[in-house]
Amino acid sequence: MMKILITGGAGFIGSHVVRKFVKTYPSYTIYNLDALTYAGNLENLKDIDALPNYEFIKGDIANEEFITRLFKDYVFDGVVHLAAESHVDRSISDPMAFVKTNVIGTVNLLNGFKNIWQGNFNDKRFYHVSTDEVYGSLGADGLFTETTPYDPNSPYSASKASSDHFVRAYGETYGMPYVITNCSNNYGPYHFPEKLIPLFINNIIEKKPLPVYGDGKYTRDWLFVEDHANAIDLVFHKGSNHETYNIGGFNEWQNIDLVKLLCDIMDQKLSRPVGSSQALISYVKDRPGHDLRYAIDASKINKELGWKPSVTFEEGLDKTVDWYLSNEEWLNNVTSGDYQEYYKNMYK
Ligand code: NAD
Ligand code: TYD
């Protein structure tokens, strides 16, 4: 019975990864460690939480004593590490929270794993889930490859870059078997409505302004979250040790074009007159240090492991909108309480 620790499993991507592993591998026990911050929500997993090979553990990865104890008690065979503070705008107002969770939390997990196996790692594995934002910003041309130098611009991407370096260093120094993946922007069900796509879906439902930063010409490479979870499954089982794989959607969109497409889909789904959602678009003050363009060259994972996205952007966006429209209770629950305060301060 393999014991796999997945961190951040109550968050957006983590919940898809937990679901995938719990359902696909009945012979593994999946332990979901999550602090349940504003971004973590056990409702994201209510369809699988009664399965016998799943266990939830509430705890903070930044708490060294707790993490040391946890690894001693459970002796995990593998770790898939997703827990993080993940929103760039929040990292601008509170960088230290990102240092604590993303840097110190990652080093605590690395120590926990190193100390239980004491160099006898055999087929054990530490999988670190990271982002393309560590590579900084592209101009009009080019793609991020696995050898693009790190050049992070936001406190979020700097904290993720730092955690990636620690993972590599533990591989080099202690021989710890690791893999790192750097993925582009995800979208899909259970995405917290502080990020562009779910925020705008929620605002369109509520007929609130759609705050587009700057001129809206910033470019992101979007990937459906289940395709990211599929890639994580594949790399965890088939990826080579001490390797990095970039994961992306081959799907670049300028923010303003994406927002207009989303508006048109929402008008149609909500039976509103054509153009009514686009009328909500409102250009607002830009994000400081805003990266112009991210785009991933995902040819390594494609060639070596045969991974590619399974849905087109149009299909993925359609599924996503349908999910939000049929899960209004989820949306209402996560946007009550603290969310209102965050929104007031962020978009004043
Ligand atoms: P998220 O913010 O939705 O979820 C993060 C989860 O981590 C939450 O459940 C939260 O409760 C938990 N968490 C936060 N601090 C913790 C702590 N100190 N201890 C334990 N748990 C804690 O994030 P996400 O969008 O699902 O991202 C997951 C991972 O994937 C992150 O490492 C992120 O950097 C990476 N990533 C995200 C994207 C994206 O587009 N969202 C793209 C590439 C990589
Ligand atoms: P976001 O979803 O925060 O992801 P990231 O910054 O990690 O790429 O933002 C995606 C893009 O959308 C980014 O260029 C910033 C922009 N954006 C807006 O224009 N308005 C918003 O309210 C938000 C949250 C993002």
Side-chain angles (χ1 to χ4, degrees):
M1 199 77 177
M2 285 251 279
K3 292 184 181 177
I4 309 294
L5 176 69
I6 299 182
T7 71
F12 166 47
I13 302 169
S15 63
H16 290 273
V17 176
V18 166
R19 180 176 296 101
K20 171 107 204 154
F21 274 64
V22 167
K23 285 186 159 177
T24 315
Y25 304 105
S27 67
Y28 297 178
T29 306
I30 302 302
Y31 298 89
N32 170 16
L33 168 64
D34 200 295
L36 300 182
T37 68
Y38 78 93
N41 184 355
L42 288 177
E43 266 189 70
N44 298 0
L45 289 164
K46 65 176 187 302
D47 55 322
I48 58 111
D49 69 4
L51 293 178
N53 64 333
Y54 171 75
E55 188 179 314
F56 175 68
I57 302 167
K58 185 170 188 295
D60 183 350
I61 60 168
N63 180 336
E64 184 181 355
E65 217 180 293
F66 164 72
I67 292 296
T68 306
R69 185 77 262 148
L70 183 81
F71 275 83
K72 279 198 183 129
D73 288 350
Y74 285 83
V75 195
F76 302 111
D77 298 291
V79 176
V80 184
H81 174 36
L82 296 107
E85 288 292 339
S86 69
H87 190 38
V88 173
D89 292 325
R90 288 185 191 255
S91 82
I92 294 167
S93 43
D94 183 11
M96 194 52 84
F98 287 67
V99 175
K100 285 184 184 145
T101 289
N102 299 1
V103 185
I104 296 174
T106 301
V107 177
N108 281 337
L109 293 169
L110 289 166
N111 281 336
F113 198 61
K114 170 170 84 64
N115 292 339
I116 51 171
W117 295 111
Q118 301 282 341
N120 297 315
F121 291 110
N122 298 320
D123 54 351
K124 313 291 181 254
R125 173 162 277 189
F126 191 101
Y127 185 141
H128 180 60
V129 176
S130 193
T131 167
D132 60 355
E133 305 193 24
V134 298
Y135 299 122
S137 183
L138 291 164
D141 304 314
L143 299 169
F144 295 134
T145 71
E146 287 79 3
T147 55
T148 301
Y150 276 32
D151 189 20
N153 292 314
S154 74
Y156 165 63
S157 52
S159 68
K160 290 297 291 187
S162 169
S163 64
D164 292 10
H165 290 321
F166 271 103
V167 175
R168 271 200 74 250
Y170 272 58
E172 294 302 312
T173 307
Y174 307 110
M176 181 184 286
Y178 75 86
V179 278
I180 299 175
T181 48
N182 296 84
C183 188
S184 64
N185 287 61
N186 286 213
Y187 69 96
Y190 302 108
H191 204 182
F192 192 79
E194 64 184 350
K195 308 276 170 63
L196 181 74
I197 291 179
L199 178 82
F200 280 32
I201 291 175
N202 188 42
N203 283 15
I204 292 171
I205 294 172
E206 295 186 358
K207 299 187 178 164
K208 279 169 46 180
L210 306 177
V212 173
Y213 295 161
D215 61 5
K217 300 244 167 83
Y218 296 89
T219 300
R220 298 292 183 264
D221 172 358
W222 293 93
L223 178 68
F224 190 57
V225 63
E226 288 176 14
D227 280 325
H228 189 189
N230 291 342
I232 289 174
D233 179 13
L234 193 64
V235 172
F236 184 73
H237 291 96
K238 302 263 166 64
S240 301
N241 274 329
H242 293 208
E243 286 289 334
T244 287
Y245 298 88
N246 281 354
I247 306 171
F250 304 99
N251 178 43
E252 285 184 56
W253 284 79
Q254 279 195 351
N255 292 341
I256 190 62
D257 295 334
L258 187 164
V259 167
K260 285 181 178 166
L261 173 66
L262 181 64
C263 285
D264 294 347
I265 295 174
M266 293 292 288
D267 284 347
Q268 200 215 335
K269 302 259 184 203
L270 293 167
S271 308
R272 289 183 185 167
V274 175
S276 49
S277 298
Q278 285 203 27
L280 297 169
I281 291 173
S282 155
Y283 291 92
V284 299
K285 194 158 75 60
D286 211 345
R287 170 188 282 173
H290 198 165
D291 286 333
L292 179 66
R293 177 172 164 258
Y294 304 144
I296 282 277
D297 177 352
S299 52
K300 177 175 171 182
I301 188 172
N302 175 255
K303 282 198 195 106
E304 291 186 14
L305 303 178
W307 176 87
K308 61 176 190 317
S310 70
V311 293
T312 65
F313 190 50
E314 285 71 13
E315 286 164 347
L317 208 50
D318 199 71
K319 279 190 189 191
T320 303
V321 169
D322 282 346
W323 186 86
Y324 280 90
L325 293 178
S326 48
N327 286 276
E328 263 190 80
E329 197 187 329
W330 182 94
L331 200 50
N332 290 338
N333 288 346
V334 301
T335 54
S336 59
D338 290 352
Y339 181 83
Q340 297 300 331
E341 202 50 34
Y342 166 79
Y343 198 92
K344 229 173 34 208
N345 290 328
M346 183 64 215
Y347 296 100
K348 58 188 168 215

